[in-house]
Amino acid sequence: MTNVYIETYGCQMNAYDTELVQSILVDANMHIIPTVDAADVALLNTCSVRENANNKVLNRIHALKRANKTLIVGILGCMATNFKTQLLDNNRLQIDLIAGPDSYKQLPALIADAVDATHSDKPFDVTLSEFETYDTIVPNRTEGANAWLAIMRGCNNFCTFCVVPYTRGRERSRSADSIITEINDLVAKGYKQVTLLGQNVNSYRYGNDTFTDLMRRITQETAIDRIRFTSPHPKDFPDDLLDVIAANPAICKQIHVPLQAGNDRILKKMNRTYTQSEFLTLIHKMRDAIPGVALSTDIIVGFPTETYDEFLDTVRVCETVKFDHAYIFKYSERPNTRAALKFPDDVPLDEKTQRITELVKLQKKHSLHQNKRWVNTVQSILVERWDGETVIGRNDANVLVYVDAAHNRAAIGSFTNVFVTDASPHGLRARALSQ
Ligand code: 5AD
Ligand code: SF4
């Protein structure tokens, strides 16, 4: 029996894909093991969204091979497509097999070829598909509270900084019926929360069903307690979607809405298809339609040619919106993207560092301000894990809540009501209600 060990890098979609891959390999009679020591095969499910994610994986390959020369090392995920030629040509890397994001059904055969000593070519399949949604495969879910569920894959937006359209190919959605069936199975298994995933989740479309229709159907046809979704694009938030979110208690009142930049010239160069004022209008609409909604965002600082004054437009949008949470990144040039081909990466690294430091500091202030909204309220939290004597869960707004387990012994994957006593930029402290 082949022992396979898998490491996952990058976003939630990769976490979900690892669960799909596990399911495919188990069906092929392979054995998934939690550490590399006894592994015949180590698969790295990789990310190439920024250079540092990339470098981490390259170092890891060297380390794995140094520790065990006979270990078969395979590359899955986003680096597979982008680096196929380099990975295979560069013998120093010693990669034994490659499977891109749409080729996971081929993995048992690819692994068998790699294990077979008489097979001299390095097996790989990085073909991108217009159709593959893996809708017939039930992932090997291991987390207790939340279930990831990809409803669409790929991206057609071509933001100029982003490698995803090249690594993951064109947008395609799976049928609403198959999604509803899977969520009903999750409910039967005791899952309380589902997070719908897609590189562009709200541009979901299957037949006549839009993302709004899908969300409505999930609330009507399943009994799942909490529904989240990520990652959306600001261009796909019609009013009826906001109304469905507002009207249904099961849909969390928390939306991720990636800003990327606050300056119109930079937004245009990024091909984001909205202006600062259109973005702010959307935020106002969201807050009008869904009172108290928690908002998070993604921001890139130091996109090619961005001046300090233009960066200050991003700061101003942040000051206006006061996001509950923000993921902030330094621009990282990715091979073959439109930005890499057209715009030199000309903002110096120390300037990017200064901008990110400034914005992170401001965001901390905003996160604290927003997190204080929950102090002195009762919050229903879904318990994710225990750390010693601390119960850790999240409220509807997706804020981490820490509860002393002395008086609340709620199990992982269950809901518990707690009273919030304190807020920090990173989360909330709460006590058991009966205390
Ligand atoms: N450089 C820096 N950040 C990037 N992101 C995507 N591509 C790049 C890049 N080339 C960020 C965006 C995106 C998030 C997932 O990663 O903010 O929303
Ligand atoms: Fe990384 Fe994007 Fe691929 Fe996710 S989809 S693993 S963020 S490059």
Side-chain angles (χ1 to χ4, degrees):
M1 200 164 183
T2 311
N3 285 335
V4 184
Y5 163 75
I6 312 180
E7 258 173 35
T8 310
Y9 299 79
C11 63
Q12 293 94 332
M13 184 64 97
N14 264 17
Y16 174 79
D17 281 357
T18 290
E19 295 175 345
L20 283 179
V21 165
Q22 286 186 8
S23 167
I24 291 167
L25 298 183
V26 168
D27 278 353
N29 285 322
M30 294 186 192
H31 190 52
I32 307 294
I33 54 172
T35 59
V36 74
D37 312 329
D40 305 301
V41 178
L43 300 176
L44 306 184
N45 193 0
T46 63
C47 171
S48 56
V49 78
R50 282 170 295 276
E51 199 178 356
N52 50 8
N54 227 64
N55 293 344
K56 233 200 263 174
V57 169
L58 295 179
N59 291 335
R60 187 65 180 138
I61 297 166
H62 286 303
L64 286 171
K65 278 289 187 183
R66 238 191 340 261
N68 177 1
K69 278 197 181 55
T70 62
L71 180 70
I72 289 170
V73 176
I75 295 294
L76 317 179
C78 290
M79 279 174 75
T81 322
N82 226 27
F83 284 86
K84 180 188 85 184
T85 347
Q86 287 100 312
L87 289 179
L88 286 176
D89 285 353
N90 187 344
N91 276 331
R92 277 188 317 123
L93 284 176
Q94 293 178 300
I95 286 164
D96 303 292
L97 76 97
I98 300 182
D102 292 339
S103 308
Y104 297 148
K105 286 180 185 161
Q106 314 309 322
L107 255 178
L110 296 169
I111 290 175
D113 284 350
V115 170
D116 178 0
T118 63
H119 190 99
S120 55
D121 291 336
K122 290 185 173 178
F124 71 91
D125 187 343
V126 294
T127 322
L128 289 175
S129 161
E130 301 261 343
F131 303 102
E132 183 61 85
T133 59
Y134 297 108
D135 58 345
T136 56
I137 296 171
V138 180
N140 228 6
R141 293 189 169 94
T142 47
E143 287 177 36
N146 172 67
W148 306 113
L149 204 174
I151 60 165
M152 58 85 68
R153 300 173 72 90
C155 178
N156 290 351
N157 284 344
F158 290 95
C159 301
T160 57
F161 52 78
C162 187
V163 81
V164 170
Y166 308 96
T167 60
R168 287 191 170 264
R170 296 290 65 75
E171 274 179 29
R172 70 221 92 120
S173 298
R174 62 183 270 195
S175 78
D177 287 344
S178 80
I179 295 166
I180 301 281
T181 305
E182 188 160 339
I183 296 176
N184 279 324
D185 287 348
L186 289 170
V187 173
K189 284 186 185 131
Y191 279 94
K192 302 286 190 284
Q193 173 176 294
V194 66
T195 303
L196 308 177
L197 296 178
Q199 266 78 35
N200 218 337
V201 71
N202 54 341
S203 68
Y204 172 92
R205 188 167 189 105
Y206 190 89
N208 289 326
D209 285 331
T210 62
F211 187 62
T212 307
D213 298 327
L214 176 67
M215 292 288 265
R216 195 182 289 120
R217 278 192 63 184
I218 295 172
T219 62
Q220 288 167 351
E221 297 173 39
T222 83
I224 193 85
D225 295 285
R226 275 188 182 173
I227 306 162
R228 301 187 190 279
F229 58 96
T230 199
S231 191
H233 191 291
K235 74 179 168 59
D236 295 313
F237 275 106
D239 293 350
D240 62 358
L241 175 57
L242 301 183
D243 293 342
V244 168
I245 296 172
N248 286 288
I251 305 178
C252 293
K253 306 298 176 266
Q254 172 246 329
I255 304 180
H256 187 65
V257 47
L259 167 65
Q260 310 299 2
N263 175 269
D264 286 350
R265 190 183 72 86
I266 297 298
L267 283 168
K268 192 155 191 205
K269 270 179 115 70
M270 287 177 161
N271 192 30
R272 288 296 287 176
T273 69
Y274 52 83
T275 60
Q276 179 194 102
S277 109
E278 284 162 349
F279 184 89
L280 289 173
T281 302
L282 174 64
I283 297 291
H284 287 137
K285 262 196 195 165
M286 285 175 166
R287 286 191 164 144
D288 277 352
I290 313 161
V293 64
L295 298 172
S296 58
T297 199
D298 289 343
I299 291 170
I300 298 176
V301 300
F303 185 80
T305 75
E306 184 188 63
T307 65
Y308 185 73
D309 274 356
E310 288 171 331
F311 161 72
L312 289 180
D313 279 334
T314 305
V315 172
R316 273 189 280 275
V317 174
C318 289
E319 276 171 339
T320 307
V321 178
K322 293 193 175 59
F323 293 105
D324 293 71
H325 186 72
Y327 301 91
I328 309 170
F329 310 103
K330 295 178 199 174
Y331 173 71
S332 164
E333 186 177 89
R334 306 313 298 129
N336 300 323
T337 56
R338 291 191 192 176
L341 299 176
K342 281 166 61 181
F343 317 127
D345 181 10
D346 60 357
V347 178
L349 187 59
D350 57 351
E351 181 65 32
K352 288 179 187 166
T353 305
Q354 193 197 318
R355 291 180 198 177
I356 202 172
T357 308
E358 209 175 313
L359 209 49
V360 165
K361 194 170 155 208
L362 181 69
Q363 182 52 46
K364 253 185 156 174
K365 209 174 88 182
H366 293 160
S367 293
L368 177 62
H369 170 82
Q370 296 292 10
N371 285 350
K372 279 184 175 165
R373 294 195 277 159
W374 312 112
V375 174
N376 292 330
T377 67
V378 173
Q379 294 289 304
S380 170
I381 66 165
L382 179 56
V383 177
E384 272 178 16
R385 60 194 162 94
W386 277 56
D387 184 4
E389 279 302 289
T390 306
V391 178
I392 304 170
R394 286 175 194 269
N395 70 355
D396 182 277
N398 213 27
V399 184
L400 277 169
V401 184
Y402 299 83
V403 194
D404 185 348
H407 301 279
N408 184 323
R409 311 201 65 80
I412 292 172
S414 72
F415 284 108
T416 181
N417 283 335
V418 296
F419 185 79
V420 178
T421 53
D422 261 310
S424 84
H426 311 289
L428 306 172
R429 237 178 214 287
R431 61 174 165 74
L433 273 182
S434 52
Q435 217 175 325

